[in-house]
Amino acid sequence: MPKIKLAENTIQLILNICTEFENKESELINVLHKVQNKLGYLPAEVQEVIAKGLNCSVAKVYGVVTFYSFFTMIPQGEFPISICMGTACYVRGAEQVLAEFKRQLQVEVGESTEDGKFSINCLRCVGACGLAPVVTVGEKVFGRVAPSEVKKIIAEYREGCRDDSKTA
Amino acid sequence: MDTVNLTIDNKPVVVKEGITILEAASGIGIDIPTLCHMKLDDLNIENKPGGCRICVVEVNGRRNLAPACCTNVHDGMEINTHSMRVINARRTVMELILSDHPFDCLICAKSGNCDLQDMAHKLGIREIRYKGEQSTYREDTSPAINREIDKCIMCRRCETMCNEVQTVGVLSAINRGFESVVSPAFEMNLDHSVCTYCGQCVAVCPTGALTEVDETGKVIRALSDPSKTVIVQTAPAVRAALGEEFDMEAGTLVTGKLVAALRRLGFDHIFDTDFAADLTIMEEGTELLNRLGKHLAGDKDVKLPILTSCCPAWVKFFEHQFPEMMDIPSTARSPQQMFGAIAKTYFADKLGIKREDLVVVSIMPCVAKKYECGRDEFKTNDNPDVDHAITTRELAALIKLSNIDFKSLPNEDFDNPLGESTGAAVIFGTTGGVIEAAVRTAYEVHTKKELPRLDFEELRGMEGIREATIDFDGLPIKIGIAHGLGNARKLLEDIQAGKSKFHAIEIMSCPGGCIGGGGQPYHHGNVEVLKKRQVAIYQEDKNKAIRKSHENPHIVKLYEEFLGEPMSEKAHHLLHTSYFDRT
Ligand code: SF4
Ligand code: SF4
Ligand code: SF4
Ligand code: FES
């Protein structure tokens, strides 16, 4: 078991959220949602506190966290990149777009770059199938993204990175 | 009670409302195949995820096939359990399951005992028309249990046992779709989790995904080493179950054949864990009377109730989950460990050999015992008191490997001095037995009178939590019994809340006690098997000439020659232990 080493006030914040949902195991998803909104991600220690707060097993919490792709155990980058993997996007080449993002940033899905600027996530259908394949960076939506455009999108967010030689 | 009328395979039936198609069919001798479903009736254990869809049947007027294990009967239903459509669907489901299952049958630990293999055979699967990706997952091994999750079919039985029955909460389905597996939190290995090694997940896993760590190789090696003296102890519950591995009726007592088989396997001395169970009663019973005496004298510091401590999974459970209550259980070691401690001192001295040259093997109904004998506090200079613990199933495998025709073996007797035991020790194998044995001795020691009766029916049975008051000659002693860790948790929470009325509580991790241990022959979901083993255990008790631990002549002698008296300093050193906060 990882020992809980969170700051006291973070623990309290999580426990308060649990109390808000009456410490009910059936509210697990809602609790996770709210905690992730506050903390940005759900590392192991946070899940342990939630398990305590809802009086259920950590395995159960972890089971739910890993079931929904919305939840993440890794801190997101300053600019979280999400690639839609819904059927429409997939058919129109989302996979190649994803591969290009991974290649450009040298990170896997669910990870963030060393400088903390970018992270990559996959989403199930975001409901913008007309624009497939869809990529979101933060709140901004990019439609009909082709692999060749990936470099440009990244550059838009990476200040001082116009120097193409750096992105191998 | 409301009833409904329906037909199953054209047979009209009248059944209770609210039961499933599966139950209705089985009532008239129609055996609908199931894979994920499991129900242990008297223990209130049911796994009903409706996931595998092997049990589908055709219901007239319903478009889709219905899973029989989780569809209730309705008035006027017409059910067909083996139409062409049903059989095709079942076989397709089976082929799909198999298309993502390793083809390891020939070398799988579960081969011959695997529900998946049996189902493939029953459904007559001869080819698999689907080719797809095969999931691969790392193997996880621990001191007691191996997880080979490639072989998991996501029936979720282990989750039901671990979470609902045992309330340990180690296992959960994680990830989604093709990636989903059953795993501890954060995909940590079992030995980093709060797993108690009770083995109840192993006992119900239909495939080879969960198995005990196989130590038969180590035992064979020890037996063939001429420089070692190899002795063996066998736990009470083994004799009431081993026969099943040789196609004998459940509940057949095979004590004599068991001894004969061990002798033929080449062990130098065949001893009995029951001897150490008698010793446990001497120590634990004395501890109970001490605490009780102080309590009655008005000592406020003394903790009651006292809890039994012979089950290693239970010990690990409270070390993880109730560390603030570690002063309540008895400090007595389990019989397995008492045996080891006496064997490597008293008996090694008698033989005039060093402890390193004595190998102690134990035959246990249990997988947690493998973990227990590896605990550091049970070692001297790194040499464990018990070297290898193998399960009833592993012993059966060794016997088969050694060309021994078990059924035709004669009945033989245990060796002395560590082979003599009483009826009180035998009943350690079932829920309620340890406390009954303790009562038989504590009563006589406390009252200095002979017990008017030896059979305490009020302590017996299969109810998850039981209680009884035993009259100690005017002193009412309140006793609680729990088997299954979920039931134990309830009694512990009462103690925590100051609501417990008991003086003594017996706790066993496995439903039924050790007769239902994780290392016993597989019961395949049939609770009758456990009940028959329980009957056998009480029968063995009745057969014994001596039925009270303190009357075991070799125990009396052991105290005279070696230990002094119960709870003496030497007894403390060798027969008691301490617990560790594992949070
Ligand atoms: S051995 Fe017991 S505690 Fe451990 S995972 Fe299996 S059921 Fe849970
Ligand atoms: S490990 Fe065994 S019991 Fe658990 S879900 Fe998989 S097949 Fe079922
Ligand atoms: S009840 Fe018996 S078989 Fe089960 S874990 Fe405890 S000692 Fe082992
Ligand atoms: S046995 Fe009914 S769905 Fe698995």
Side-chain angles (χ1 to χ4, degrees), chain A:
Chain A
M1 277 278 130
K3 285 271 175 208
I4 298 176
K5 48 177 188 283
L6 293 172
E8 201 43 56
N9 56 356
T10 312
I11 296 178
Q12 207 44 57
L13 177 120
I14 300 167
L15 290 177
N16 287 346
I17 293 175
C18 293
T19 321
E20 216 174 286
F21 289 96
E22 293 170 36
N23 301 86
K24 278 197 193 135
E25 186 183 330
S26 54
E27 295 284 351
L28 177 56
I29 295 184
N30 291 327
V31 170
L32 288 169
H33 209 106
K34 186 134 191 194
V35 174
Q36 178 162 303
N37 268 346
K38 293 265 182 227
L39 303 179
Y41 69 120
L42 299 165
E45 295 89 343
V46 168
Q47 295 181 40
E48 303 229 310
V49 179
I50 294 175
K52 274 216 167 64
L54 300 183
N55 198 12
C56 65
S57 75
V58 204
K60 174 87 201 264
V61 177
Y62 180 73
V64 172
V65 168
T66 53
F67 186 83
Y68 295 100
S69 53
F70 171 80
F71 296 123
T72 171
M73 288 183 61
I74 296 164
Q76 300 230 323
E78 190 182 334
F79 306 112
I81 300 169
S82 300
I83 295 123
C84 179
M85 284 287 162
T87 316
C89 291
Y90 191 86
V91 173
R92 292 190 167 210
E95 213 177 6
Q96 288 86 308
V97 175
L98 170 65
E100 187 59 20
F101 271 109
K102 292 203 291 196
R103 200 176 68 86
Q104 293 278 343
L105 296 171
Q106 290 295 306
V107 290
E108 287 299 313
V109 175
E111 293 179 353
S112 27
T113 50
E114 255 173 46
D115 60 6
K117 284 229 179 307
F118 298 97
S119 57
I120 308 184
N121 253 314
C122 291
L123 291 178
R124 317 254 152 200
C125 185
V126 293
C129 305
L131 295 176
V134 175
V135 171
T136 62
V137 183
E139 304 281 289
K140 188 161 177 197
V141 181
F142 296 82
R144 303 213 174 88
V145 180
S148 57
E149 291 168 294
V150 166
K151 206 169 178 177
K152 209 176 80 223
I153 296 176
I154 294 173
E156 230 177 85
Y157 289 89
R158 181 183 275 160
E159 348 138 86
C161 259
R162 308 273 163 198
D163 177 2
D164 279 353
S165 65
K166 273 198 180 166
T167 47

Side-chain angles (χ1 to χ4, degrees), chain B residues 9-20:
Chain B
D9 296 344
N10 295 323
K11 265 196 212 165
V13 268
V14 186
V15 296
K16 265 193 304 185
E17 203 178 2
I19 69 168
T20 61

Side-chain angles (χ1 to χ4, degrees), chain B residues 311-313 365-366 369 508-510 513-514 517:
Chain B
C311 168
C366 180
K369 293 281 171 191
M508 290 292 155
S509 296
C510 296
C514 302

Side-chain angles (χ1 to χ4, degrees), chain A residues 1 3 47 57 59 66-67, chain B residues 169-170 172 175-176 186 192 583:
Chain A
M1 277 278 130
K3 285 271 175 208
Q47 295 181 40
S57 75
T66 53
F67 186 83
Chain B
V170 172
S172 172
N175 302 337
R176 71 150 68 210
F186 317 122
H192 290 138
T583 49

Side-chain angles (χ1 to χ4, degrees), chain A residues 55, chain B residues 167 322 325 486-500:
Chain A
N55 198 12
Chain B
T167 65
F322 293 88
M325 290 168 75
N487 293 322
R489 180 187 290 279
K490 288 187 194 136
L491 294 188
L492 281 173
E493 284 171 350
D494 281 352
I495 300 174
Q496 226 170 10
K499 287 195 303 200
S500 182

Side-chain angles (χ1 to χ4, degrees), chain B residues 150-168:
Chain B
D150 286 356
K151 294 180 180 166
C152 173
I153 56 167
M154 289 303 277
C155 71
R156 325 282 293 261
R157 289 186 192 180
C158 56
E159 274 185 81
T160 298
M161 293 313 282
C162 192
N163 302 330
E164 285 164 38
V165 178
Q166 303 296 58
T167 65
V168 180

